[in-house]
Amino acid sequence: DIQMTQSPSSLSASVGDRVTITCRASQSISSYLNWYQQNPGKAPKLLIYAASSLQSGVPSRFSGSGSGTDFTLTISSLQPEDFATYYCQQSYSVPWTFGQGTKVDIK
Amino acid sequence: QVQLQESGPGLVKPSGTLSLTCDVSGGSISSSYWWSWVRQPPGKGLEWIGEIYHSGSTNYNPSLKSRVTISLDKSKNQFSLKLSSVTAADTAVYYCARGNIMVRGGKYYHYMDVWGKGTTVTVSS
């Protein structure tokens, strides 16, 4: 199985901050990387697919980059509704695997 | 727009079989998508369980493969999950999700773009 490792596991930030979350794969996965946002008690929501493609309806302050083993999710200006947990997920090979999550909370 | 809704018993006895159904509305389960199950133990991260294509082809997580069956019911526009020989470690919120495919540059990119709200299953006697 491909292992996905996110860093940091948690971070504190303020509204308006630029936030960057990193995801590393245990082997090269090209651009087969998705990002999800999950609020407490809610289902995950797709933000980014294929490493950098923004899902329809997702605000443009979210962006993704990277290829191979290292990927980044960036929130350009953190909004109150962005305080949540973020997961990366590889779609290079079955079984699809997720990172352990990065919790973004209010500083 | 497509919506998914999980249903099934919230309590299952140890060694029993967990059975869940995902109703698909606003679209056809016979469309060219993968239909997935993902679970999340309390306070933990996401674990992909498996998926089924509209043709009936399946992929399962090897860690659960011996205990998992995912099936389609096209007449009811729903798909199902059965997990046998459950233990307390199978206690989780179970989500169904739609797996979509984007083709770009000859490559097939898979992502889960529509999710149900989730249903909590507790394994306990």
Side-chain angles (χ1 to χ4, degrees), chain B residues 5-122:
Chain B
Q5 179 65 61
E6 306 87 350
S7 61
L11 181 64
V12 182
K13 293 187 185 304
S15 78
T17 297
L18 179 159
S19 296
L20 296 175
T21 296
C22 182
D23 288 315
V24 179
S25 59
S28 173
I29 202 167
S30 296
S31 300
S32 299
Y33 295 107
W34 288 89
W35 303 98
S36 287
W37 288 96
V38 176
R39 70 180 182 179
Q40 186 170 36
K44 296 188 177 181
L46 300 165
E47 179 182 32
W48 177 78
I49 298 170
E51 63 186 2
I52 188 165
Y53 197 50
H54 70 94
S55 63
S57 296
T58 55
N59 291 314
Y60 296 129
N61 192 323
S63 67
L64 299 167
K65 187 174 183 177
S66 63
R67 301 193 290 131
V68 171
T69 302
I70 297 175
S71 58
L72 287 174
D73 188 333
K74 294 184 179 181
S75 66
K76 295 182 179 179
N77 215 40
Q78 63 185 202
F79 63 106
S80 299
L81 168 70
K82 291 189 185 298
L83 181 66
S84 63
S85 304
V86 298
T87 69
D90 295 310
T91 294
V93 176
Y94 285 75
Y95 297 99
C96 58
R98 185 180 78 173
N100 204 343
I101 302 289
M102 178 194 73
V103 183
R104 184 173 71 191
K107 296 181 179 180
Y108 290 74
Y109 295 90
H110 177 293
Y111 50 94
M112 290 174 277
D113 63 346
V114 180
W115 293 68
K117 293 182 178 180
T119 188
T120 298
V121 178
T122 301

Side-chain angles (χ1 to χ4, degrees), chain A residues 25-91:
Chain A
S26 60
Q27 67 179 73
S28 178
I29 58 170
S30 184
S31 297
Y32 295 94
L33 192 283
N34 306 318
W35 289 99
Y36 301 86
Q37 175 194 64
Q38 187 178 36
N39 286 296
K42 302 294 186 181
K45 172 187 174 183
L46 177 69
L47 299 176
I48 301 284
Y49 61 95
S52 60
S53 295
L54 191 67
Q55 171 67 352
S56 177
V58 174
S60 59
R61 63 181 180 273
F62 291 93
S63 64
S65 64
S67 67
T69 60
D70 295 317
F71 302 87
T72 298
L73 173 69
T74 299
I75 309 172
S76 60
S77 178
L78 199 65
Q79 298 302 301
E81 59 269 30
D82 301 337
F83 292 98
T85 300
Y86 294 85
Y87 293 92
C88 62
Q89 175 244 324
Q90 63 82 19
S91 62

Side-chain angles (χ1 to χ4, degrees), chain A residues 90-102:
Chain A
Q90 63 82 19
S91 62
Y92 179 82
S93 66
V94 170
W96 313 136
T97 48
F98 294 85
Q100 82 279 14
T102 296

